[in-house]
Amino acid sequence: MKVSKAEIFNIFEWIAVYIVAVYMIIYGVSKPMQFGDIQSYRQPINEMDSMSLMWAFYSYSKPYAIIIGIFEVLGAVLLMIPRTRILGGFVLSSILINIILQDYFFKVHAGALANAILFQLLILIILFKHRVKILDAFKILSGKFIFKIRWIYIPIGIVMIAVIELLMFSINYLIKFLNP
């Protein structure tokens, strides 16, 4: 029995998909329990090490961490479905690149950083296998997208930005006035 090169790449793709998907689902589902209560961080911010500071941030903003977990699970599910695999790869890449940067800059232990890099590399390999579809999609999108500058849009845009900024300032001032 001879196995073709395409079959080997297909098997490798499915292995990579399941490795990334299983771990991302586990990480996503565990987000609500991963970070402690903000009250457990009693140190002043300037005395915290960088990793404790990051964990305190996520403990303070649990809804944010839960939203990240939802996107981790969503991206993993999309990655497992062949028709949505590319979209899942892009969703997970946006999350994993953020995680890699945070793990690096906040000096999270090397194992977490290594896992995030490994998962991102596996996703890049998966996306590379589908590079023709991705490039075709970009060609279709870029061929239909025509941007013409109409000079009247510039002053209209400036006025709209000024009105929005004025409204935001007024709302903030009103909120501060009503809640001393």
Side-chain angles (χ1 to χ4, degrees), residues 85-103:
R85 183 158 296 154
I86 294 170
L87 178 61
F90 285 127
V91 169
L92 289 176
S93 287
S94 65
I95 293 168
L96 283 168
I97 290 169
N98 185 35
I99 290 170
I100 290 167
L101 292 171
Q102 285 181 357
D103 286 356

PDB file of all heavy atoms in Angstrom, residues 85-103:
ATOM      1  N   ARG A  85     -12.112  26.238   7.993  1.00  0.00           N
ATOM      2  CA  ARG A  85     -10.762  26.092   8.565  1.00  0.00           C
ATOM      3  C   ARG A  85      -9.934  27.361   8.431  1.00  0.00           C
ATOM      4  O   ARG A  85      -9.239  27.773   9.366  1.00  0.00           O
ATOM      5  CB  ARG A  85     -10.063  24.911   7.915  1.00  0.00           C
ATOM      6  CG  ARG A  85      -8.687  24.661   8.506  1.00  0.00           C
ATOM      7  CD  ARG A  85      -8.225  23.269   8.267  1.00  0.00           C
ATOM      8  NE  ARG A  85      -9.127  22.370   8.984  1.00  0.00           N
ATOM      9  CZ  ARG A  85      -9.350  21.114   8.628  1.00  0.00           C
ATOM     10  NH1 ARG A  85      -8.735  20.603   7.587  1.00  0.00           N
ATOM     11  NH2 ARG A  85     -10.168  20.362   9.320  1.00  0.00           N
ATOM     12  N   ILE A  86      -9.982  27.999   7.292  1.00  0.00           N
ATOM     13  CA  ILE A  86      -9.169  29.206   7.078  1.00  0.00           C
ATOM     14  C   ILE A  86      -9.631  30.315   8.017  1.00  0.00           C
ATOM     15  O   ILE A  86      -8.806  30.980   8.656  1.00  0.00           O
ATOM     16  CB  ILE A  86      -9.241  29.649   5.602  1.00  0.00           C
ATOM     17  CG1 ILE A  86      -8.584  28.586   4.707  1.00  0.00           C
ATOM     18  CG2 ILE A  86      -8.575  31.005   5.399  1.00  0.00           C
ATOM     19  CD1 ILE A  86      -8.811  28.786   3.218  1.00  0.00           C
ATOM     20  N   LEU A  87     -10.934  30.517   8.114  1.00  0.00           N
ATOM     21  CA  LEU A  87     -11.470  31.527   9.027  1.00  0.00           C
ATOM     22  C   LEU A  87     -11.054  31.215  10.466  1.00  0.00           C
ATOM     23  O   LEU A  87     -10.619  32.108  11.203  1.00  0.00           O
ATOM     24  CB  LEU A  87     -12.994  31.609   8.909  1.00  0.00           C
ATOM     25  CG  LEU A  87     -13.695  32.590   9.840  1.00  0.00           C
ATOM     26  CD1 LEU A  87     -13.213  34.015   9.587  1.00  0.00           C
ATOM     27  CD2 LEU A  87     -15.204  32.482   9.671  1.00  0.00           C
ATOM     28  N   GLY A  88     -11.152  29.956  10.866  1.00  0.00           N
ATOM     29  CA  GLY A  88     -10.717  29.554  12.211  1.00  0.00           C
ATOM     30  C   GLY A  88      -9.241  29.829  12.436  1.00  0.00           C
ATOM     31  O   GLY A  88      -8.838  30.270  13.513  1.00  0.00           O
ATOM     32  N   GLY A  89      -8.435  29.590  11.405  1.00  0.00           N
ATOM     33  CA  GLY A  89      -7.002  29.882  11.510  1.00  0.00           C
ATOM     34  C   GLY A  89      -6.728  31.355  11.718  1.00  0.00           C
ATOM     35  O   GLY A  89      -5.877  31.743  12.523  1.00  0.00           O
ATOM     36  N   PHE A  90      -7.488  32.207  11.026  1.00  0.00           N
ATOM     37  CA  PHE A  90      -7.315  33.654  11.199  1.00  0.00           C
ATOM     38  C   PHE A  90      -7.812  34.125  12.569  1.00  0.00           C
ATOM     39  O   PHE A  90      -7.178  34.964  13.206  1.00  0.00           O
ATOM     40  CB  PHE A  90      -8.000  34.432  10.079  1.00  0.00           C
ATOM     41  CG  PHE A  90      -7.247  34.389   8.773  1.00  0.00           C
ATOM     42  CD1 PHE A  90      -7.887  33.998   7.605  1.00  0.00           C
ATOM     43  CD2 PHE A  90      -5.911  34.739   8.706  1.00  0.00           C
ATOM     44  CE1 PHE A  90      -7.200  33.963   6.400  1.00  0.00           C
ATOM     45  CE2 PHE A  90      -5.214  34.702   7.506  1.00  0.00           C
ATOM     46  CZ  PHE A  90      -5.862  34.312   6.353  1.00  0.00           C
ATOM     47  N   VAL A  91      -8.925  33.575  13.034  1.00  0.00           N
ATOM     48  CA  VAL A  91      -9.444  33.942  14.363  1.00  0.00           C
ATOM     49  C   VAL A  91      -8.431  33.549  15.432  1.00  0.00           C
ATOM     50  O   VAL A  91      -8.076  34.349  16.307  1.00  0.00           O
ATOM     51  CB  VAL A  91     -10.820  33.280  14.629  1.00  0.00           C
ATOM     52  CG1 VAL A  91     -11.225  33.426  16.089  1.00  0.00           C
ATOM     53  CG2 VAL A  91     -11.881  33.869  13.724  1.00  0.00           C
ATOM     54  N   LEU A  92      -7.946  32.304  15.362  1.00  0.00           N
ATOM     55  CA  LEU A  92      -6.988  31.850  16.376  1.00  0.00           C
ATOM     56  C   LEU A  92      -5.650  32.573  16.257  1.00  0.00           C
ATOM     57  O   LEU A  92      -5.005  32.835  17.278  1.00  0.00           O
ATOM     58  CB  LEU A  92      -6.794  30.333  16.274  1.00  0.00           C
ATOM     59  CG  LEU A  92      -7.981  29.500  16.729  1.00  0.00           C
ATOM     60  CD1 LEU A  92      -7.722  28.016  16.498  1.00  0.00           C
ATOM     61  CD2 LEU A  92      -8.306  29.758  18.192  1.00  0.00           C
ATOM     62  N   SER A  93      -5.239  32.914  15.048  1.00  0.00           N
ATOM     63  CA  SER A  93      -3.976  33.654  14.888  1.00  0.00           C
ATOM     64  C   SER A  93      -4.052  35.010  15.567  1.00  0.00           C
ATOM     65  O   SER A  93      -3.087  35.437  16.213  1.00  0.00           O
ATOM     66  CB  SER A  93      -3.635  33.840  13.408  1.00  0.00           C
ATOM     67  OG  SER A  93      -3.210  32.631  12.850  1.00  0.00           O
ATOM     68  N   SER A  94      -5.184  35.694  15.423  1.00  0.00           N
ATOM     69  CA  SER A  94      -5.306  37.003  16.057  1.00  0.00           C
ATOM     70  C   SER A  94      -5.212  36.879  17.577  1.00  0.00           C
ATOM     71  O   SER A  94      -4.626  37.727  18.248  1.00  0.00           O
ATOM     72  CB  SER A  94      -6.599  37.690  15.646  1.00  0.00           C
ATOM     73  OG  SER A  94      -7.717  36.980  16.123  1.00  0.00           O
ATOM     74  N   ILE A  95      -5.763  35.823  18.125  1.00  0.00           N
ATOM     75  CA  ILE A  95      -5.690  35.616  19.574  1.00  0.00           C
ATOM     76  C   ILE A  95      -4.286  35.162  19.980  1.00  0.00           C
ATOM     77  O   ILE A  95      -3.716  35.676  20.941  1.00  0.00           O
ATOM     78  CB  ILE A  95      -6.744  34.582  20.011  1.00  0.00           C
ATOM     79  CG1 ILE A  95      -8.141  35.150  19.804  1.00  0.00           C
ATOM     80  CG2 ILE A  95      -6.540  34.167  21.465  1.00  0.00           C
ATOM     81  CD1 ILE A  95      -9.244  34.143  19.928  1.00  0.00           C
ATOM     82  N   LEU A  96      -3.727  34.204  19.248  1.00  0.00           N
ATOM     83  CA  LEU A  96      -2.421  33.659  19.621  1.00  0.00           C
ATOM     84  C   LEU A  96      -1.299  34.679  19.493  1.00  0.00           C
ATOM     85  O   LEU A  96      -0.383  34.695  20.323  1.00  0.00           O
ATOM     86  CB  LEU A  96      -2.111  32.411  18.792  1.00  0.00           C
ATOM     87  CG  LEU A  96      -2.840  31.161  19.252  1.00  0.00           C
ATOM     88  CD1 LEU A  96      -2.717  30.045  18.213  1.00  0.00           C
ATOM     89  CD2 LEU A  96      -2.306  30.690  20.600  1.00  0.00           C
ATOM     90  N   ILE A  97      -1.351  35.531  18.490  1.00  0.00           N
ATOM     91  CA  ILE A  97      -0.313  36.566  18.365  1.00  0.00           C
ATOM     92  C   ILE A  97      -0.371  37.493  19.572  1.00  0.00           C
ATOM     93  O   ILE A  97       0.661  37.875  20.134  1.00  0.00           O
ATOM     94  CB  ILE A  97      -0.444  37.314  17.033  1.00  0.00           C
ATOM     95  CG1 ILE A  97      -0.056  36.385  15.880  1.00  0.00           C
ATOM     96  CG2 ILE A  97       0.408  38.587  17.020  1.00  0.00           C
ATOM     97  CD1 ILE A  97      -0.393  36.899  14.499  1.00  0.00           C
ATOM     98  N   ASN A  98      -1.566  37.843  20.000  1.00  0.00           N
ATOM     99  CA  ASN A  98      -1.736  38.658  21.195  1.00  0.00           C
ATOM    100  C   ASN A  98      -1.183  37.929  22.426  1.00  0.00           C
ATOM    101  O   ASN A  98      -0.481  38.520  23.254  1.00  0.00           O
ATOM    102  CB  ASN A  98      -3.209  39.014  21.386  1.00  0.00           C
ATOM    103  CG  ASN A  98      -3.442  39.956  22.525  1.00  0.00           C
ATOM    104  OD1 ASN A  98      -2.633  40.825  22.800  1.00  0.00           O
ATOM    105  ND2 ASN A  98      -4.554  39.787  23.206  1.00  0.00           N
ATOM    106  N   ILE A  99      -1.479  36.657  22.557  1.00  0.00           N
ATOM    107  CA  ILE A  99      -0.992  35.872  23.695  1.00  0.00           C
ATOM    108  C   ILE A  99       0.532  35.783  23.673  1.00  0.00           C
ATOM    109  O   ILE A  99       1.189  35.931  24.710  1.00  0.00           O
ATOM    110  CB  ILE A  99      -1.630  34.462  23.697  1.00  0.00           C
ATOM    111  CG1 ILE A  99      -3.110  34.569  24.039  1.00  0.00           C
ATOM    112  CG2 ILE A  99      -0.904  33.527  24.670  1.00  0.00           C
ATOM    113  CD1 ILE A  99      -3.885  33.281  23.834  1.00  0.00           C
ATOM    114  N   ILE A 100       1.097  35.547  22.496  1.00  0.00           N
ATOM    115  CA  ILE A 100       2.565  35.461  22.377  1.00  0.00           C
ATOM    116  C   ILE A 100       3.207  36.773  22.821  1.00  0.00           C
ATOM    117  O   ILE A 100       4.178  36.771  23.586  1.00  0.00           O
ATOM    118  CB  ILE A 100       2.968  35.101  20.930  1.00  0.00           C
ATOM    119  CG1 ILE A 100       2.585  33.648  20.627  1.00  0.00           C
ATOM    120  CG2 ILE A 100       4.461  35.332  20.696  1.00  0.00           C
ATOM    121  CD1 ILE A 100       2.644  33.288  19.154  1.00  0.00           C
ATOM    122  N   LEU A 101       2.660  37.892  22.356  1.00  0.00           N
ATOM    123  CA  LEU A 101       3.217  39.193  22.740  1.00  0.00           C
ATOM    124  C   LEU A 101       3.084  39.435  24.243  1.00  0.00           C
ATOM    125  O   LEU A 101       4.032  39.892  24.889  1.00  0.00           O
ATOM    126  CB  LEU A 101       2.536  40.315  21.953  1.00  0.00           C
ATOM    127  CG  LEU A 101       2.841  40.340  20.454  1.00  0.00           C
ATOM    128  CD1 LEU A 101       1.954  41.356  19.743  1.00  0.00           C
ATOM    129  CD2 LEU A 101       4.311  40.624  20.206  1.00  0.00           C
ATOM    130  N   GLN A 102       1.921  39.108  24.811  1.00  0.00           N
ATOM    131  CA  GLN A 102       1.744  39.292  26.249  1.00  0.00           C
ATOM    132  C   GLN A 102       2.677  38.378  27.038  1.00  0.00           C
ATOM    133  O   GLN A 102       3.299  38.812  28.016  1.00  0.00           O
ATOM    134  CB  GLN A 102       0.294  39.014  26.655  1.00  0.00           C
ATOM    135  CG  GLN A 102      -0.642  40.111  26.264  1.00  0.00           C
ATOM    136  CD  GLN A 102      -2.069  39.818  26.700  1.00  0.00           C
ATOM    137  OE1 GLN A 102      -2.382  38.768  27.242  1.00  0.00           O
ATOM    138  NE2 GLN A 102      -2.948  40.765  26.469  1.00  0.00           N
ATOM    139  N   ASP A 103       2.761  37.127  26.639  1.00  0.00           N
ATOM    140  CA  ASP A 103       3.643  36.193  27.353  1.00  0.00           C
ATOM    141  C   ASP A 103       5.093  36.656  27.296  1.00  0.00           C
ATOM    142  O   ASP A 103       5.830  36.533  28.277  1.00  0.00           O
ATOM    143  CB  ASP A 103       3.522  34.783  26.767  1.00  0.00           C
ATOM    144  CG  ASP A 103       2.226  34.096  27.140  1.00  0.00           C
ATOM    145  OD1 ASP A 103       1.439  34.677  27.917  1.00  0.00           O
ATOM    146  OD2 ASP A 103       1.995  32.970  26.659  1.00  0.00           O
TER     147      ASP A 103
END
